[in-house]
Amino acid sequence: MNKKPNYDEKISEEMRIFEDLLRKEGLRITAQRILVAKTIFGMHTHFTADSLLEHLKDRRGEISKATIYRILSIMVSGNLLSEHNFGKDYKYYEHIVGHEHHDHIICEDCNRIVEFTSPEIETLQHQIAKSKGFDLTGHKLNLFAKCEKRESCEHFKKKNDSHI
Amino acid sequence: MNKKPNYDEKISEEMRIFEDLLRKEGLRITAQRILVAKTIFGMHTHFTADSLLEHLKDRRGEISKATIYRILSIMVSGNLLSEHNFGKDYKYYEHIVGHEHHDHIICEDCNRIVEFTSPEIETLQHQIAKSKGFDLTGHKLNLFAKCEKRESCEHFKKKNDSHI
DNA sequence: GTACATGCAAATGGTTTGCATCTTT
DNA sequence: AAAGATGCAAACCATTTGCATGTAC
């Protein structure tokens, strides 16, 4: 992996940011890091280490699980990725480069993860932290819910899918 | 363990609720379950399986770690205990019998966990879920923050304590 | 007495790490 | 060449579980 990278138009900006991060941290630009980052920037859903590995199944010879975890960790600390628990035993990730901040609704019926933003809630959070003597640095707000029309939810069948 | 229980005045109500839960579920009232429940109801902080074990150190002959996990699980599904992640690799618990619902501020400086309530945020959450087609069943809101006056924070020294 | 509960040690499962080998710089 | 990165398998570690023994009812 030594050529000038030539990414798809759509993710070139994200890749530039990723490479900048690597350089800033004195880390090397390797084939594995490029492969994982491209894959992540090409996915527009929440994912887990396992589902990422699944997306890479046709390229499995090129990357190991250990390296995936190592790259996820770099991207999280570099703020290209956010990490979520959602009450499960494994972590979810989502890439946040160029995405505006949002919180999540997790459907207990169909496992869907829906995003939302609420400037009002954000404002209240700051006020609350302040009133308790803290400076807010971040937050996680997860709403757990059920589809209003369970029977007509086309996602319901996915309920028992493994890490989506 | 066969005598009529005679709990401290202050936690007798909680213990009654706990025993009712056991009976409702067809579970037996054992010495270990009583011991763990009394300990939990006597603690008014967030705790982990390990810190609970620590609280029980003088009674260690009487209970095993496996049983503690089994009892925590009963109390969580019976809604006597809530379970939190707080971004760590182990779970936090807090007993919620007779406690009004609240959310948490987690201080990244001193590890303190401070509670707050916000009816405004709760209302907004319901509206948001509704607007996205969900019925809200629960939520977790964690605010991550830093003490405004770090240097004068008397909790700061605890920063590197293990599971508080 | 029987079904359930406990303790122990072993298993689980996601994630991390040691180390020998390969790559980037 | 030297510093880093990777892959593999083993280690980690909180939590769970199988099974023989104990206990509530």
Side-chain angles (χ1 to χ4, degrees), chain B residues 1 28-30 49 66 69-70 89-91:
Chain B
M1 199 355 165
R28 290 169 179 177
I29 296 175
T30 66
Y69 278 109
R70 285 188 273 236
D89 289 328
Y90 38 85
K91 291 171 183 151

Side-chain angles (χ1 to χ4, degrees), chain B residues 29-128:
Chain B
I29 296 175
T30 66
Q32 289 87 341
R33 286 173 181 167
I34 297 298
L35 172 60
V36 169
K38 277 174 72 170
T39 307
I40 289 175
F41 292 135
M43 300 180 2
H44 291 283
T45 35
H46 303 79
F47 62 92
T48 64
D50 266 6
S51 71
L52 179 55
L53 210 43
E54 190 59 29
H55 271 258
L56 287 165
K57 60 173 172 304
D58 29 332
R59 320 267 314 249
R60 270 323 306 283
E62 306 172 41
I63 181 100
S64 75
K65 201 172 216 179
T67 297
I68 285 187
Y69 278 109
R70 285 188 273 236
I71 298 173
L72 288 174
S73 156
I74 292 169
M75 295 180 80
V76 169
S77 23
N79 282 313
L80 306 202
L81 232 48
S82 74
E83 196 176 71
H84 302 282
N85 266 93
F86 295 153
K88 302 286 175 56
D89 289 328
Y90 38 85
K91 291 171 183 151
Y92 280 83
Y93 299 88
E94 69 180 317
H95 88 81
I96 52 180
V97 177
H99 289 194
E100 70 181 59
H101 165 78
H102 56 257
D103 288 296
H104 300 91
I105 303 175
I106 297 100
C107 181
E108 296 174 334
D109 280 337
C110 64
N111 273 349
R112 247 186 316 165
I113 296 168
V114 174
E115 305 176 356
F116 71 90
T117 57
S118 172
E120 297 91 331
I121 290 182
E122 310 271 321
T123 303
L124 287 163
Q125 286 176 353
H126 275 94
Q127 291 170 359
I128 291 162

